[in-house]
Amino acid sequence: MASLGRLRAALPGPCSLPAPLRRLASGWGSAAALLRSGAFMDGRWVEVAAAFPVCDPGSGTELARVADCGAAEARAAVRAAHRAWPSWSAAPAKERSALLRKWYHLMIENKDDLAKIITAENGKPLKEAHGEILYSASFLEWFAEEARRVYGDIIPPAAKDRRILVLKQPVGVAAIITPWNFPSAMITRKVGAALAAGCTVVVKPAEDTPLSALALAELANQAGIPAGVFNVVPCSRQQTPAVGEALCTDPLVAKISFTGSTATGKLLLHYAADTVKRVSMELGGHAPFIVFDSANVDQAVAGALASKYRNSGQTCVCTNRFLVQKGIHDTFVEKFAKAIEKELHVGNGFDERTTQGPLINEKAVEKVERHISDAVAQGASIVTGGKRHSLGKNFFEPTLLSNVTTNMLCTQEETFGPVAPVIKFDTEAEAVAIANSANVGLAGYFYSQDPGQIWRVAEQLEVGMVGVNEGLLSAVECPFGGVKQSGLGREGSKYGIDEYLEVKYVCFGGL
Ligand code: ADP
């Protein structure tokens, strides 16, 4: 059992260790060192005068106080990353690969504790948190492999006395800004690619979930990632605009990679414009889930449950609108409602039975309530759920709405919560038109057993990722990203590393 004294020693900075976190960490032994509260810069834990609270979204209880960095710390971290860049980018790919792999192994060794940190600060069920840690670690493993496969090209020249080469080189320092819904995986999906390419990074994690980012820093340090290569500057919501601006306008930063809301993404794009930084943006979605008459309805219901209610509906690839053809509509709605009532259990993420943790904060619950009341006021029916759960605070009942029309808010904006609105449609063309009416396009799903229809609809959906008879599609090997206002660039897969590489053409003349 780790003593309080030992845990305190593991938590530099202005942090005290409140009882909930102390309970969480009891029995962790040396893994208690994963609970950090300082900023991590230039290979060191740095104390900052101010601190901000990190709270359990289920109870509101304070878990820890974490260093509240400001613009000065952000700029210092950028300078550290910039100093580290020449030697990191010049290191043989094999060395960078080995360090990423070591970091991956440390994540796997500590996977249970890392999962507990996610559940504590994000609220998602422990089983989902375990899944996230494996997914998160898989990016370090994948990019450890990709690091060694960054090939250039030799191009046949038009002139006899020339030879043409193409080199791929790291872009430089990357500023990485991540959300709270996947507190670990959204970091490694970017950082794995960046470090593999030879870039150095400064990460600003979401204010709701900095502990997972700091645990990653601790493991990066243990893995021997050199000082300045991976830096983390946590900050409160109040400091976020200043820190964001400092990171995204600093001339030493060459690249911004962001995952979060479309509104924040647009602001960061403005920042990037001034110094023409490279950008990757993974922004909001509004995923349609179409069930055609030919679908296997049980498969569609299973896919719908997974795609809608994972992480309590708080992922950017979660279904936001169900479009169900009129012939299968009533059966689908009836079976979907039964499945929700039987299989989903709202509760604390640490309870084994829980499939639905709390929403991240009050603002998120209010948005869900607003979408439901708007839909009901315009004629939608609540089939199941529809209100806050008796557990209180940020817990919400998984909700199914029928008689939904396209003029309701829930079919126009991302809900980011456990609400499934069902729109009835008549023809394939009508469904595709409704699906494509959004100004964003991240994921889209449809269920059909008709091969012709599968090809047509997969090609016509204006999204970056399509699930055909599948409700979950994220995997390290696959390119993740969107079209329209869902963003720019792709993460993971063989394409993800290109986001951190420049193409340089070298012309050898006079031969
Ligand atoms: P959400 O509303 O779901 O929290 P955001 O886009 O606001 O979505 O948050 C995603 C990430 O963007 C978080 O790390 C957050 O702190 C950060 N963020 C929010 N506003 C800004 C800003 N003005 N500059 C830089 N980062 C920001």
Side-chain angles (χ1 to χ4, degrees), residues 69-300:
C69 294
E73 285 79 23
R75 280 193 285 269
V78 168
R79 285 196 298 275
H82 195 254
R83 279 194 303 275
W85 182 51
S87 62
W88 181 249
S89 59
K94 189 173 174 182
E95 280 177 24
R96 293 199 302 268
S97 168
L99 288 170
L100 281 170
R101 188 171 286 279
K102 204 159 170 199
W103 193 7
Y104 158 75
H105 283 302
L106 285 171
M107 279 194 77
I108 297 299
E109 272 170 35
N110 289 279
K111 64 181 177 356
D112 293 342
D113 298 334
L114 291 170
K116 283 187 204 161
I117 295 176
I118 291 183
T119 296
E121 63 180 353
N122 166 285
K124 70 174 67 176
L126 196 54
K127 199 165 156 228
E128 277 189 36
H130 270 120
E132 177 179 343
I133 290 302
L134 296 182
Y135 180 55
S136 176
S138 77
F139 288 105
L140 299 182
E141 183 188 39
W142 174 266
F143 285 111
E145 292 157 357
E146 290 297 287
R148 302 193 65 199
R149 320 252 185 275
V150 178
Y151 299 118
D153 261 323
I154 296 178
I155 299 177
K160 258 190 182 168
D161 63 344
R162 289 185 171 188
R163 296 294 178 268
I164 297 172
L165 274 72
V166 174
L167 309 179
K168 291 201 179 163
Q169 296 183 314
V171 298
V173 175
I176 288 181
I177 299 181
T178 55
W180 48 264
N181 61 343
F182 289 92
S184 181
M186 291 305 97
I187 294 177
T188 55
R189 193 160 74 179
K190 297 173 187 302
V191 171
L195 266 53
C199 296
T200 56
V201 301
V202 178
V203 177
K204 192 212 85 61
E207 52 280 4
D208 306 282
T209 58
L211 298 174
S212 294
L214 298 174
L216 281 175
E218 171 61 29
L219 294 179
N221 202 23
Q222 288 180 20
I225 304 278
V229 170
F230 179 73
N231 306 278
V232 183
V233 287
C235 70
S236 62
R237 194 71 180 184
Q238 289 70 27
Q239 289 291 351
T240 290
V243 168
E245 186 175 1
L247 291 177
C248 297
T249 58
D250 194 315
L252 298 181
V253 169
K255 161 93 194 180
I256 301 170
S257 180
F258 170 72
T259 295
S261 64
T262 302
T264 304
K266 286 180 183 176
L267 175 71
L268 304 189
L269 280 168
H270 280 286
Y271 288 153
D274 262 355
T275 43
V276 193
K277 299 190 194 310
R278 307 288 169 269
V279 287
S280 299
M281 294 275 146
E282 204 269 273
L283 308 178
H286 189 33
F289 186 111
I290 309 173
V291 186
F292 289 105
D293 280 346
S294 72
N296 173 322
V297 72
D298 294 321
Q299 263 183 18

Side-chain angles (χ1 to χ4, degrees), residues 312-473:
S312 298
Q314 302 175 109
T315 87
C316 46
V317 291
C318 272
T319 294
N320 213 54
R321 309 167 279 164
F322 287 88
L323 314 177
V324 186
Q325 202 158 13
K326 66 176 188 208
I328 201 169
H329 176 275
D330 293 355
T331 316
F332 175 82
V333 170
E334 189 190 325
K335 289 194 167 198
F336 194 15
K338 274 197 187 133
I340 291 169
E341 283 159 11
K342 181 163 168 246
E343 291 179 37
L344 301 185
H345 306 286
V346 178
N348 183 297
F350 285 104
D351 293 344
E352 223 167 85
R353 229 172 93 85
T354 298
T355 62
Q356 305 287 286
L359 301 195
I360 192 72
N361 52 36
E362 176 73 19
K363 208 173 91 193
V365 180
E366 283 168 4
K367 187 171 192 189
V368 166
E369 286 182 324
R370 196 163 61 247
H371 278 194
I372 294 174
S373 59
D374 168 81
V376 171
Q378 296 196 63
S381 320
I382 296 174
V383 183
T384 185
K387 56 184 193 307
R388 288 183 195 233
H389 191 272
S390 54
L391 279 171
K393 188 66 184 155
N394 299 325
F395 292 95
F396 204 91
E397 294 177 347
T399 298
L400 178 60
L401 302 175
S402 65
N403 296 322
V404 171
T405 54
T406 54
N407 49 346
M408 298 173 184
L409 265 183
C410 60
T411 64
Q412 293 167 359
E413 348 171 308
E414 197 176 22
T415 306
F416 232 66
V419 182
V422 179
I423 303 169
K424 196 193 278 188
F425 72 88
D426 204 350
T427 65
E428 179 185 305
E430 186 190 347
V432 171
I434 296 172
N436 288 346
S437 63
N439 63 5
V440 292
L442 192 59
Y445 310 87
F446 66 93
Y447 279 69
S448 167
Q449 299 291 328
D450 170 349
Q453 182 170 58
I454 288 175
W455 277 110
R456 282 193 304 277
V457 177
E459 288 180 2
Q460 285 169 11
L461 284 181
E462 294 170 0
V463 294
M465 298 171 280
V466 181
V468 183
N469 297 324
E470 259 308 330
L472 294 176
L473 35 70

